[in-house]
Amino acid sequence: MRRALTSVYRIMSNLSHASGLGYFDSFVTELAAAVDADVVLVAGRDPVTASFELHSAFPATLGIQGSRVPIAATPGEIVLQQGEAWFCDRLPQLFPQAPLFIAHRVRGYAGIALRDAQGQTIGICSLWFRQGMDSMDRVMSVLRLLAPLAGRELALSLSRTDVPAKLPLPAMDSMLAHAPVGIGKLDLQGRLLWANPAIEKMLGYREEELLHRTAAELHHPKDWLRSLACYGELVRGERSVVTLEKRYRHKLGHELWGRVTVTLVRNERHEPDHLMLLLENIDDARRHAEQLKLSHRVYDNLSEAILVCDADSRIISVNPAFERITGYSSEEACGLTPSILKSGLHDKAFYADMYHTLSRVGIWRGEVWNKRKNGKLYPQQLMISALREGGKITQYIAISSDISQTKLAEQKIATQANYDNLTGLPNRWLFGRSLTRFCERGERFALMVLDLNNFKAVNNSMDHHVGDALLREVSDRLVSRVRTEDLVARIGGDEFAFLVPGIVSRRQAEVFAKQVQGSFARPFMLANQQLYITATVGVTLCPADGSESDELLRNAEQALFAAKRLGRPLESYCASMREEVRQRHQMQQDLAEAIKQEQLTMAYQPIWDNRSGRVAKLEALVRWYHPHWGQVSPADFIPLAEEAGLIQSLGALVLWQSCRDLARLQQSGFPELQMSINRSTLEFQTIDPQASEWLRVIEHFGLEPSDIIIEITESLLMESSDQHRIRIESLREAGCKLAIDDFGTGYSALTYLRTFPVDLVKIDRSFVRHIPFNEQDRLLLDGIINIVHNLGMQVVIEGVETREQLSFLCQKGCAFTQGYLLSRPLAFEDLVAYLEVNRAGMSLPIVS
Ligand code: C2E
Ligand code: CA
Ligand code: CA
C-alpha cells in the first residue's frame, strides 16, 4: 500500500502543474511504472459510435493512439457498466472477440471508469498485464485514487478548455478527503497552505487551526531542522523528492512518528512554486519496531540462555547467551532437540514429570543439570513455558541461567559452616550430624575425643601462627592414621574427635586410640624448634555406653577428663564415671557451703633460709575437711572451685586467714616472717586493676605488703594479657613480692623470666625427685639455678625430702628450701610450737 500511495502521490504532484495534451502522456507512463503494467490506455467514450477513442497509451510504441475500438464484448464494456473491473488471468479466453488481447499476449486486466465533475462516465483507464496476476488489489487501489484526477483532465481535454489547476476541484476534494493518508501543500518557506482531513486527524487539529501553524510548530524541534535542510535541497533542485521519517507534535503535546514524502512543484515557467507532501502515520509501526528492536536487544544481551522449540521439541531459535553457556552455536542447535543438553543425571521420571507439568500447568521451574558441548556438566535454574494457540501447544520457551557460580558459592558457604577453616576437617556441628545419623541407623562404632596436652601453653608461648601450624600438622597426622571410613573432626580449640565404625570392644578401641596416639611419637618441627606434644584420649562405645549422639559425646569427654585427671594417655568410659560426675557435682555444692561457713582452714609450710638455718617464709596451703570424704587435697578441690566459680571466694578466705595468722605470728615474736600465698590465674581476671581488694586485707592486719609473697604459675605469665600484667604491676608497686610456682613444668618459662622479672622462683618438685642420683636431672637443675641466679632472682626448691637433696642444693648456693624433710605443712598451733622450737635456727640436716 505504501508503494502504491507513493506512486499516486508522485503522479499527482508530477501532473499537478501539467495539463492539456501532454498530461495523459505523462499519466500513462507514470502509472505503468507505478503498478508494473505492460500497457496503460486512457480512452474517451463515444456513445454515438459505441466505441472507445484512445487518448493516450503506454508504451508509445504501441501505435494505437487516436484509433477507435468497439466497446462491445470487451472488459471495457463491463467497466462502463459497473465503474470498474479486473481480471487477473486468462483474458483472451474470457474475451475471445477482443483481438488486441491475443495480439499483445495480454493475460491480466484492470480498468476504471473516468467521470467528469458531474459524475458522468466519459471514458476509461485500462491496464494490461502480460503475466497472470495473483491479485489486482494494489492496482485497483491506485486506480481508484487516480481516477478522479484523470476524469477531470479527460473532461477538460474533451472540452478543450485549459483551466490552470491551482486549487483542488470538487472531485479532487473528495479524493483528498477520503485518502487514508495525509496530503498537504506547503509554500517554499514551509508554511502549510492546505491539508486534507487525514493530516488534521493525525495531528489533532481542526483545519483552520492547522493553517495558522508553521510546519516548525508541528514538528519535534530536532527533526524540523533536519527537514529544513532537505527542503532547501529540494528548492535548489538538488533533489527531486525527499522521504523522511520524523517525529511530529500532536496538539495534545505528545509526539508521534510520521513518514513524509515531499516533492517540489514548479509553475509553468518551471520555477519552484510550492511543496507537496504526503504524510503517513507510522507511529504504531515505529513503536512496534522499536519494541521489537528492544526485545531483540534484550534477547541478544540477556545473560540468561533462551531456547525456543516448536511443538515437536525441535529447537528453532537460541540467543547468544545460550551459545555462550552451552557451547553450541545457533546453527548447530537449531533443528536438534534439547536432549543434546541432557547430563544423564536425571532419570526418565524427572523429564516425564517436567512434560506432564508443562502440558497441565503450562510452566515448569526447577534446577537441572545439563551438559555443555565440551562434555562438562553444569547446574542451571530453568523455567520452561508452553505457548498455546487455540488450545494446542505451539512452542516451548526455555529460559535458563547457569548457576555453577552460585552453586560454588553455596558450596563454599556450606563448607565454611561445616568445616573448620584451619584444618579443613569437619567441625563440631557437622561431626554431630554424622554422629546422629550413625546413632539413628543403630550402627556399632567407637567415639573418641582427643585433647592435646599443654596446647594452651604452646599457643601462648609462641606466635599464634605456630599454634595454628601445630594444629594443622596434628590434623594431618591424625588423618593419616585412620581408615577412609573413619571420620575425624576438630570439635574444639585443641580437641579432635573420631568416629570409628565397626569397633565393638573396648580392647579394639584402645588399640585404635594407641595407634592414633602413635602419631605424636615424632616431635613437631615448629618455628625451627622440635616440640614434643602429647595427647589424651577419651573413648566411648555405641551402643554399649549410650545410643544418642549427645550422650556419647558427653561420655567420651568424661573419659577424656578422667584420663587427664589421672594423668593417663587414654581412658575408656565406664558407668562409674557418670557416678564420678555426680560426685564432683555434689562436692562442688559441699565446697560452696564450706566456703560460706568458713570451714576451710589453713596449714602453713615453713620455708627455710639455707644460710641462716632459720624459717624465713611460710607457704599458706588451704585445707578442707569433708565430713564424709575426710581430708580432701587442694590439688583436687582447687580445680573444682575453679570449675564451679568458687575460686574467688575461696581465695578471699585464704588471704584473710593467712594475713590474720601472719599478723599474729609477727606480733608473737616472729616479725621477719613472710607469707607466701597461692593465687589461681582465674583470680586475676576478676580483681580490680589496682588489686586494692587484696591490699586492703593486708593493710587491715597491719602487715607490710612486702611481707606477702604472691605465688603465681607460669601459665599466668603465658596467658598474660595486658590486664593481668596491670594487676601484677599494681601489686609489685604496692610492695608485694612475686613468686613463680611450679617453675619448669610449663613451656619456655625462662623466656618469660627475662621479660617478666619476679622476686622468687619456686622450682618444681619434679626436678628434685631424682637428685642427686640422676646425672641428667642434676645438670638440668644446676642449669636452671644458675640462670635464675643470673637473672638476679632467688630460688626456692620445693619438695625436698632427703638430706642428699638438701646437701646438693646447699652446695649449689640455693637460698631457700621447702619440703617434708624440714617440715610438713602445719596447722597454726603446731606451727607456733615448731617456730618456738626452732627460734634460734637449726643446723640443717645435710650430709657432709
Ligand atoms: P603447691 O603450691 O605446689 O604447694 C605445694 C604442695 O606440695 C603442697 O601440697 C604441699 O603439701 C606439697 N609438698 C610440700 N613439700 C613436699 C614434699 O617434700 N614432698 C611432697 N610430695 N609434697 C610436698 P598441697 O597442700 O596438697 O597443695 C597442693 C596444691 O594445691 C598446691 O601446690 C597449690 O597449687 C594448691 N593450693 C594449696 N593451697 C592453695 C590455696 O590456698 N590457693 C590456691 N589457689 N591454691 C592452693
Ligand atoms: Ca605454691
Ligand atoms: Ca609448687
Side-chain angles (χ1 to χ4, degrees):
M1 187 60 189
R2 203 185 93 68
R3 219 182 113 207
L5 281 172
T6 316
S7 316
V8 171
Y9 171 71
R10 211 176 50 235
I11 297 168
M12 273 164 45
S13 53
N14 281 354
L15 297 179
S16 60
H17 58 276
S19 193
L21 287 173
Y23 181 95
F24 280 113
D25 290 341
S26 303
F27 180 85
V28 291
T29 311
E30 294 281 356
L31 186 55
V35 298
D36 291 327
D38 296 297
V39 174
V40 180
L41 302 170
V42 173
R45 169 197 189 186
D46 186 352
V48 184
T49 57
S51 61
F52 291 118
E53 185 182 358
L54 289 171
H55 247 274
S56 219
F58 170 88
T61 49
L62 206 62
I64 53 171
Q65 282 99 319
S67 59
R68 283 175 176 271
V69 182
I71 294 172
T74 65
E77 188 179 24
I78 305 169
V79 173
L80 290 179
Q81 286 163 8
Q82 301 188 355
E84 54 183 45
W86 66 89
F87 305 95
C88 291
D89 206 352
R90 302 176 64 237
L91 204 63
Q93 286 91 326
L94 295 169
F95 300 95
Q97 280 100 332
L100 273 177
F101 295 140
I102 300 165
H104 291 279
R105 300 197 313 280
V106 180
R107 285 171 64 181
Y109 174 96
I112 194 153
L114 302 178
R115 298 189 169 100
D116 63 10
Q118 286 71 45
Q120 292 294 315
T121 301
I122 54 171
I124 67 167
C125 171
S126 37
L127 311 178
W128 299 357
F129 299 89
R130 293 211 174 100
Q131 287 205 323
M133 305 280 280
D134 288 337
S135 150
M136 286 291 183
D137 289 354
R138 196 172 77 84
V139 175
M140 286 312 297
S141 58
V142 172
L143 278 183
R144 283 175 205 131
L145 279 168
L146 288 176
L149 208 64
R152 171 190 65 106
E153 204 54 51
L154 187 62
L156 279 176
S157 66
L158 289 179
S159 65
R160 303 262 177 262
T161 353
D162 208 345
V163 179
K166 285 255 164 58
L167 285 171
L169 294 172
M172 185 73 163
D173 277 355
S174 131
M175 179 198 110
L176 289 171
H178 295 106
V181 64
I183 301 172
K185 180 174 174 182
L186 300 171
D187 68 14
L188 295 179
Q189 283 70 45
R191 276 188 298 263
L192 202 56
L193 299 179
W194 57 262
N196 74 341
I199 292 192
E200 295 164 19
K201 195 173 151 218
M202 178 174 158
L203 299 180
Y205 291 99
R206 279 178 285 122
E207 187 184 10
E208 60 273 22
E209 288 175 321
L210 207 51
L211 295 183
H212 290 110
R213 312 264 148 189
T214 63
E217 285 177 81
L218 301 170
H219 280 82
H220 191 282
K222 272 192 194 152
D223 292 354
W224 172 236
L225 287 177
R226 199 154 54 95
S227 305
L228 258 188
C230 294
Y231 293 167
E233 288 168 6
L234 272 180
V235 173
R236 290 194 297 275
E238 291 163 16
R239 293 168 74 164
S240 60
V241 60
V242 169
T243 300
L244 295 171
E245 289 193 356
K246 53 186 179 172
R247 286 159 294 178
Y248 287 84
R249 231 186 231 152
H250 193 270
K251 188 184 173 188
L252 298 176
H254 60 265
E255 52 182 58
L256 74 168
W257 281 90
R259 184 189 294 117
V260 69
T261 305
V262 188
T263 33
L264 177 71
V265 180
R266 296 174 185 275
N267 61 19
E268 277 114 78
R269 292 185 301 281
H270 212 69
E271 294 156 341
D273 187 70
H274 61 272
L275 300 167
M276 288 290 292
L277 68 86
L278 186 86
L279 177 61
E280 280 174 88
N281 185 346
I282 55 163
D283 201 53
D284 283 349
R286 183 81 187 212
R287 280 181 206 286
H288 183 71
E290 231 136 65
Q291 228 145 34
L292 212 66
K293 220 159 86 192
L294 187 72
S295 318
H296 274 291
R297 274 231 301 276
V298 171
Y299 187 76
D300 285 348
N301 291 307
L302 213 63
S303 56
E304 277 88 7
I306 300 178
L307 172 149
V308 185
C309 283
D310 63 15
D312 300 325
S313 295
R314 301 254 154 235
I315 300 173
I316 51 178
S317 171
V318 300
N319 72 341
F322 174 92
E323 298 180 313
R324 209 170 45 242
I325 293 173
T326 63
Y328 288 101
S329 72
S330 171
E331 293 77 50
E332 288 171 320
C334 288
L336 301 175
T337 68
S339 63
I340 52 168
L341 303 171
K342 272 191 184 170
S343 62
L345 291 185
H346 306 286
D347 56 10
K348 272 192 185 143
F350 177 86
Y351 293 104
D353 174 67
M354 178 192 284
Y355 277 99
H356 179 68
T357 309
L358 270 175
S359 60
R360 205 167 36 88
V361 189
I363 198 157
W364 185 91
R365 280 196 193 84
E367 260 181 49
V368 178
W369 280 87
N370 271 357
K371 192 165 70 183
R372 300 186 216 269
K373 192 182 169 191
N374 64 12
K376 287 219 170 99
L377 303 188
Y378 68 101
Q380 58 165 209
Q381 188 73 47
L382 175 63
M383 186 187 88
I384 310 179
S385 335
L387 301 190
R388 286 173 196 272
E389 253 169 52
K392 268 184 63 182
I393 293 178
T394 55
Q395 280 173 1
Y396 296 98
I397 298 184
I399 303 177
S400 60
S401 48
D402 183 344
I403 51 169
S404 343
Q405 290 308 316
T406 326
K407 278 268 165 202
L408 274 180
E410 272 174 18
Q411 259 168 23
K412 218 169 140 191
I413 291 168
T415 306
Q416 277 167 1
N418 294 324
Y419 293 85
D420 167 44
N421 268 343
L422 184 68
T423 60
L425 292 179
N427 61 13
R428 190 180 190 103
W429 187 83
L430 181 60
F431 184 77
R433 280 209 343 191
S434 310
L435 188 58
T436 307
R437 267 207 301 278
F438 266 77
C439 291
E440 284 168 355
R441 288 207 298 262
E443 303 216 8
R444 314 188 74 169
F445 61 90
L447 170 65
M448 306 189 192
V449 177
L450 177 146
D451 187 277
L452 302 183
N453 299 326
N454 291 325
F455 172 73
K456 227 180 194 167
V458 175
N459 201 32
N460 289 328
S461 65
M462 298 196 204
D463 194 305
H464 276 246
H465 296 299
V466 178
D468 287 354
L470 171 63
L471 287 171
R472 255 187 251 123
E473 174 73 23
V474 166
S475 134
D476 291 348
R477 290 194 191 181
L478 294 181
V479 170
S480 73
R481 291 269 157 166
V482 303
R483 307 164 300 173
T484 43
E485 62 265 38
D486 304 333
L487 185 66
V488 190
R490 181 178 173 215
I491 59 169
D494 59 343
E495 219 175 279
F496 296 84
F498 300 81
L499 194 161
V500 196
I503 287 194
V504 292
S505 75
R506 283 186 209 284
R507 210 184 49 78
Q508 269 180 307
E510 282 169 17
V511 167
F512 182 92
K514 281 195 183 125
Q515 194 181 317
V516 166
Q517 271 174 330
S519 60
F520 293 89
R522 277 183 295 124
F524 290 80
M525 270 307 285
L526 293 166
N528 291 325
Q529 285 187 43
Q530 280 199 345
L531 279 183
Y532 280 93
I533 303 286
T534 52
T536 310
V537 178
V539 178
T540 189
L541 292 181
C542 177
D545 299 333
S547 54
E548 282 187 11
S549 62
D550 285 352
E551 184 190 13
L552 285 165
L553 207 54
R554 213 171 37 237
N555 290 349
E557 276 173 341
Q558 266 173 30
L560 171 74
F561 192 76
K564 286 219 161 196
R565 217 146 29 92
L566 298 167
R568 295 196 196 143
L570 164 70
E571 201 64 33
S572 258
Y573 175 81
C574 56
S576 66
M577 283 176 189
R578 197 171 298 167
E579 176 54 23
E580 253 169 61
V581 169
R582 200 197 56 74
Q583 276 181 16
R584 280 176 78 77
H585 197 67
Q586 182 62 48
M587 277 251 231
Q588 281 173 340
Q589 283 182 341
D590 296 348
L591 182 61
E593 193 58 26
I595 295 170
K596 217 161 109 193
Q597 306 292 332
E598 300 191 7
Q599 287 164 355
L600 301 184
T601 57
M602 299 308 301
Y604 301 101
Q605 186 173 30
I607 298 170
W608 286 79
D609 183 333
N610 295 343
R611 278 162 296 194
S612 66
R614 291 163 63 158
V615 176
K617 314 168 197 294
L618 303 166
E619 179 172 1
L621 296 162
V622 67
R623 294 289 174 262
W624 179 29
Y625 185 84
H626 189 276
H628 179 67
W629 303 106
Q631 206 58 253
V632 185
S633 162
D636 291 332
F637 72 80
I638 294 291
L640 272 189
E642 287 179 336
E643 207 179 270
L646 299 168
I647 193 71
Q648 282 79 10
S649 44
L650 184 147
L653 186 62
V654 166
L655 182 69
W656 182 269
Q657 295 191 7
S658 315
C659 286
R660 182 196 62 199
D661 292 346
L662 180 64
R664 276 154 70 183
L665 288 170
Q666 286 189 351
Q667 284 153 20
S668 45
F670 303 98
E672 312 279 84
L673 275 181
Q674 289 179 313
M675 184 66 81
S676 201
I677 301 171
N678 293 288
R679 293 286 88 169
S680 154
T681 301
L682 290 180
E683 289 179 79
F684 282 85
Q685 288 175 357
T686 47
I687 56 162
D688 59 291
Q690 285 74 41
S692 45
E693 285 169 41
W694 296 355
L695 294 171
R696 262 205 308 275
V697 177
I698 297 167
E699 204 184 318
H700 174 82
F701 289 104
L703 298 170
E704 289 297 321
S706 57
D707 295 337
I708 304 298
I709 303 165
I710 302 289
E711 289 194 16
I712 57 173
T713 52
E714 287 169 299
S715 66
L716 180 71
L717 295 186
M718 287 167 191
E719 275 178 32
S720 109
S721 60
D722 286 344
Q723 288 174 343
H724 290 163
R725 287 184 180 243
I726 290 169
R727 288 159 174 78
I728 293 169
E729 289 300 334
S730 301
L731 286 166
R732 295 198 84 203
E733 268 169 38
C736 292
K737 304 285 175 222
L738 205 66
I740 290 207
D741 202 359
D742 303 339
F743 184 83
T745 52
Y747 278 87
S748 312
L750 286 170
T751 332
Y752 282 97
L753 283 189
R754 279 197 192 93
T755 57
F756 204 93
V758 294
D759 304 286
L760 223 58
V761 176
K762 300 185 76 175
I763 293 173
D764 190 68
R765 197 151 58 85
S766 54
F767 287 91
V768 200
R769 198 175 294 149
H770 306 297
I771 299 288
F773 308 108
N774 185 309
E775 157 112 42
Q776 246 185 340
D777 280 13
R778 235 170 35 222
L779 288 173
L780 193 61
L781 185 60
D782 196 17
I784 294 177
I785 294 170
N786 274 330
I787 292 171
V788 177
H789 279 161
N790 285 341
L791 288 169
M793 302 168 191
Q794 293 186 320
V795 174
V796 180
I797 308 290
E798 297 185 299
V800 177
E801 296 181 352
T802 67
R803 296 164 66 186
E804 287 78 10
Q805 288 167 340
L806 183 61
S807 309
F808 175 81
L809 296 170
C810 287
Q811 236 176 1
K812 292 289 160 204
C814 258
F816 302 97
T817 308
Q818 177 182 359
Y820 291 171
L821 175 68
L822 299 171
S823 171
R824 294 203 164 234
L826 303 166
F828 184 72
E829 289 71 30
D830 299 339
L831 173 72
V832 174
Y834 180 85
L835 288 175
E836 287 295 348
V837 171
N838 295 295
R839 185 184 281 273
M842 68 170 170
S843 60
L844 293 175
I846 49 176
V847 197
S848 44

